[in-house]
Amino acid sequence: MRAIDGAVADLKRLDLLATGDSVMHRLDARAKVLTTLVFIISVVSFGRYEFTALFPFFIYPVVAASLANLPGGYLIKKIAMVIPFAFVVGMLNPLFDRQPMAQLGPLAVSGGWISCASIIVRAVLTVGAAFILVGMTGFLSVCQALERLGTPKPFTVQLLFLYRYIFVLTEEGARASRARELRSCGRKGLGLSSFGSLIGHLLIRTWLRAERIHMAMLARGFTGEFHSGQLTRFGARELFFVLGWSALFVILRLENAASFMGRLLAGLLT
Amino acid sequence: MSHHIVEVKHLHHVYPDGTVALRDVSFTIHHGESVAVIGANGAGKSTLLLHLNGYLSPTSGEIRIGDFPLTRKTLPEIRRTVGMIFQDADDQLFMPTVFDDVAFGPFNLGLSGEEVKLRVKDVLEQVGATHLLGKPPYHLSGGEKKRVAIATVLAMSPDILVMDEPTSGLDPYARRQLLGLLRDFHHTRIFTSHDLDMVLELCERTIILHQGRVKADGPTRRIFGDDALLAECRLEKPFSMQGCPVCGSRK
Ligand SMILES: Nc1ncnc2c1ncn2[C@@H]1O[C@H](COP(=O)(O)OP(=O)(O)OP(=O)(O)O)[C@@H](O)[C@H]1O
Ligand SMILES: [Mg+2]
């Protein structure tokens, strides 16, 4: 189960990336949250058969990640993890939707395949943007930003706990399955029955531990508010950042960039 | 200062599964006292300590911290007064880096960014963990975690320090350091330990728990001198009170 251990440590690395220092890191968290929201809404609001129009959107994650000095290989690996899930969601489309929509050489591509591919690309874009947001801001600051943007406090606190809970759960999971593996003497576990009780244990242990951690937070004066060193200001730089990117997203959303360029070119030539 | 008194009266605790962990436990600890709670595994030490800051609530009986009975209303105030170090340091560390973790409490107390930085530096120095500042807590060794956990509590400047096995897992040097630190802490200290030499060094008073009951409560020296009592409670004399294993002479 080193696999699980590794995956958790890897996820936590995302949290650590946020301690870096770069132009993007220094930006007020609210600006980054807003921009990411506009990005996600633009991407998600496309029609289900839209495929090529999605690609220009990759510019944002690529630019943001490189400005923030986030390690590209690591991000790509993490983001690639969502592809199987997205595929499961879109899997049935090719079966039900067999109408040919596009011609790829001699191959007729059905609408189902296009919408399935579209779902995958959208998942990669939105999850990628969210990952990069956390990587260049830190989850705590994201929650803080949401709160300062007017999200009700109970909601942001729950969000933060949920995030922590994932770590607690995976950590406990890694420990429990390590113990099980060590005692199964190289055989493939001890069958389904031990797995069942392991899951039961896991939930109780996670629950108890989450409670103790909550207790530790209360003991240190936690009242549902998150403080951090300095609150950054939403200045001209932030405004420019949000407006600039949002304008680009809206244009990319409303105009298919590829065909737009084509028309522009055609217009220039005639 | 009466507000550092810890008073436990007829405390019973029964866990939901029916295990009776504490039976009629009573004692009073005064300001500035240093008290050890010792006993065999499963005697109820952790259960007792978890009552002192309201994590567990008594099945029956009463707890008073200072002038307040421990109730839902006084809980936030009491939790600020009582600094608690858990048996398992993993339960205590939850922020992405050691700095954030130690700073969490002071920020909640309303200190400014600069003050917090100073305090974090100060307490990490006290526990000898300054070099761990930027590390994530989950990548620390067991003893390092323990030290950071202690720092997180010290950073709150509590009036009463409650510790569940503070020296378990520490190397001899870190243990020495912690002993010195506890000696310099002049408020009330209550801790459990299987490190009986530490108990002898730090505490004038010892409470022995045996199967959930207070079996003895008195001066540490006297308790460790009572061989019959120790044997009955599955305890032994501290090494420093036993004969020298090499030459057989007594200290
Ligand atoms: N959550 C729980 N539910 C049921 N029983 C429990 C629970 N926690 C502890 N116990 C039981 O209560 C008794 C006292 O446990 P406690 O943890 O207080 O012992 P301890 O004195 O701290 O022991 P150790 O020296 O091993 O830390 C034990 O018999 C234990 O099995
Ligand atoms: Mg214990």
Side-chain angles (χ1 to χ4, degrees):
Chain A
M1 271 305 138
R2 249 164 305 159
I4 292 188
D5 263 337
V8 183
D10 247 22
L11 250 187
K12 286 182 163 174
R13 190 169 157 208
L14 193 63
D15 242 2
L16 279 191
L17 291 177
T19 58
D21 190 27
S22 74
V23 207
M24 295 298 282
H25 283 90
R26 280 192 294 270
L27 223 49
D28 185 290
R30 283 170 293 181
K32 292 180 271 186
V33 169
L34 281 176
T35 307
T36 306
L37 277 181
V38 177
F39 177 83
I40 289 175
I41 292 170
S42 317
V43 168
V44 171
S45 65
F46 269 114
R48 60 187 297 215
Y49 294 121
E50 209 54 71
F51 182 63
T52 49
L54 289 171
F55 281 90
F57 277 90
F58 275 103
I59 189 173
Y60 171 69
V62 169
V63 169
S66 51
L67 279 181
N69 290 325
L70 301 182
Y74 165 75
L75 279 180
I76 290 173
K77 254 196 285 172
K78 286 297 115 188
I79 295 167
M81 278 184 359
V82 305
I83 293 180
F85 294 101
F87 183 71
V88 169
V89 174
M91 198 166 57
L92 292 179
N93 291 7
L95 292 181
F96 292 124
D97 188 350
R98 290 160 181 266
Q99 199 125 309
M101 292 264 306
Q103 201 72 30
L104 251 183
L107 214 64
V109 182
S110 71
W113 281 112
I114 293 180
S115 61
C116 176
S118 170
I119 287 175
I120 294 175
V121 175
R122 273 187 251 197
V124 167
L125 278 171
T126 49
V127 172
F131 260 62
I132 288 168
L133 173 67
V134 174
M136 64 189 181
T137 315
F139 203 78
L140 182 65
S141 304
V142 170
C143 290
Q144 233 170 19
L146 283 172
E147 203 174 308
R148 289 174 82 193
L149 284 170
T151 317
K153 198 157 94 178
F155 181 79
T156 54
V157 171
Q158 280 310 313
L159 199 63
L160 198 90
F161 279 146
L162 189 70
Y163 183 71
R164 289 270 153 247
Y165 197 76
I166 295 172
F167 286 140
V168 176
L169 182 73
T170 41
E171 249 170 59
E172 287 289 349
R175 280 200 230 175
S177 68
R178 185 167 51 200
R180 174 169 170 269
E181 189 162 287
L182 286 176
R183 276 187 286 168
S184 58
C185 307
R187 276 174 294 141
K188 270 250 166 268
L190 295 174
L192 221 55
S193 63
S194 81
F195 195 70
S197 84
L198 183 128
I199 296 288
H201 260 255
L202 187 62
L203 290 180
I204 296 174
R205 272 164 57 163
T206 306
W207 168 264
L208 287 175
R209 220 181 123 210
E211 210 170 56
R212 287 195 300 270
I213 290 180
H214 182 222
M215 173 66 207
M217 297 175 90
L218 291 179
R220 284 197 263 150
F222 178 69
T223 50
E225 237 157 288
F226 291 98
H227 308 270
S228 72
Q230 54 284 35
L231 284 181
T232 40
R233 246 168 29 83
F234 195 98
R237 224 157 42 107
E238 278 75 17
L239 194 67
F240 187 70
F241 182 85
V242 174
L243 290 183
W245 280 110
S246 302
L248 179 67
F249 299 152
V250 171
I251 292 172
L252 289 180
R253 168 69 185 86
L254 298 180
E255 287 282 344
N256 188 329
S259 66
F260 178 68
M261 291 302 262
R263 266 187 289 133
L264 200 69
L265 221 57
L268 285 180
L269 288 182
T270 51
Chain B
M1 277 206 276
S2 67
H3 63 276
H4 299 162
I5 287 183
V6 177
E7 206 175 359
V8 174
K9 278 191 231 155
H10 307 296
L11 178 65
H12 284 265
H13 189 83
V14 183
Y15 277 109
D17 68 349
T19 311
V20 184
L22 294 176
R23 307 162 209 252
D24 197 19
V25 171
S26 302
F27 55 80
T28 304
I29 293 174
H30 297 280
H31 176 235
E33 259 190 311
S34 170
V35 178
V37 177
I38 62 174
N41 290 138
K45 305 180 297 291
S46 298
T47 309
L48 173 63
L49 293 203
L50 287 175
H51 277 85
L52 297 183
N53 72 342
Y55 176 67
L56 293 176
S57 37
T59 307
S60 71
E62 194 196 356
I63 295 164
R64 294 177 74 88
I65 307 283
D67 303 321
F68 309 106
L70 208 162
T71 61
R72 191 158 282 280
K73 232 179 85 210
T74 57
L75 209 50
E77 182 55 37
I78 282 177
R79 282 183 176 155
R80 206 153 316 151
T81 325
V82 181
M84 171 112 185
I85 293 163
F86 294 116
Q87 189 161 6
D88 184 356
D90 272 319
D91 294 338
Q92 207 141 10
L93 306 173
F94 47 80
M95 297 291 279
T97 68
V98 168
F99 176 87
D100 291 329
D101 222 310
V102 180
F104 183 85
F107 272 129
N108 286 331
L109 291 181
L111 299 190
S112 77
E114 276 310 306
E115 288 171 298
V116 171
K117 257 188 213 146
L118 274 180
R119 189 174 287 193
V120 171
K121 228 184 110 246
D122 189 42
V123 292
L124 283 179
E125 219 157 82
Q126 284 181 39
V127 297
T130 321
H131 58 293
L132 304 174
L133 197 78
K135 277 198 115 182
Y138 43 87
H139 282 165
L140 302 180
S141 79
E144 288 170 342
K145 276 184 200 166
K146 195 99 202 182
R147 281 189 262 166
V148 174
I150 293 170
T152 61
V153 171
L154 289 181
M156 301 285 294
S157 7
D159 296 322
I160 298 169
L161 205 50
V162 176
M163 287 170 290
D164 202 347
E165 306 202 14
T167 55
S168 73
L170 294 185
D171 61 40
Y173 184 83
R175 171 177 173 274
R176 250 312 120 211
Q177 208 174 17
L178 181 66
L179 252 59
L181 199 125
L182 292 179
R183 200 173 295 118
D184 292 342
F185 185 87
H186 287 298
H187 301 298
T188 311
R189 284 145 291 172
I190 304 171
F191 54 84
T192 73
S193 188
H194 295 297
D195 179 351
L196 301 181
D197 287 285
M198 167 173 104
V199 171
L200 191 62
E201 245 187 271
L202 287 182
C203 309
E204 313 89 59
R205 177 175 165 198
T206 297
I207 297 174
I208 296 188
L209 278 187
H210 182 56
Q211 297 176 351
R213 262 183 244 281
V214 176
K215 193 76 187 175
D217 179 353
T220 306
R221 287 254 157 212
R222 204 189 74 212
I223 286 186
F224 283 139
D226 188 341
D227 291 321
L229 174 70
L230 292 180
E232 189 192 342
C233 300
R234 294 173 44 126
L235 293 166
E236 283 179 1
K237 273 197 173 134
F239 293 120
S240 54
M241 280 176 77
Q242 294 177 10
C244 166
V246 181
C247 61
S249 75
R250 284 202 155 228
K251 239 181 148 176

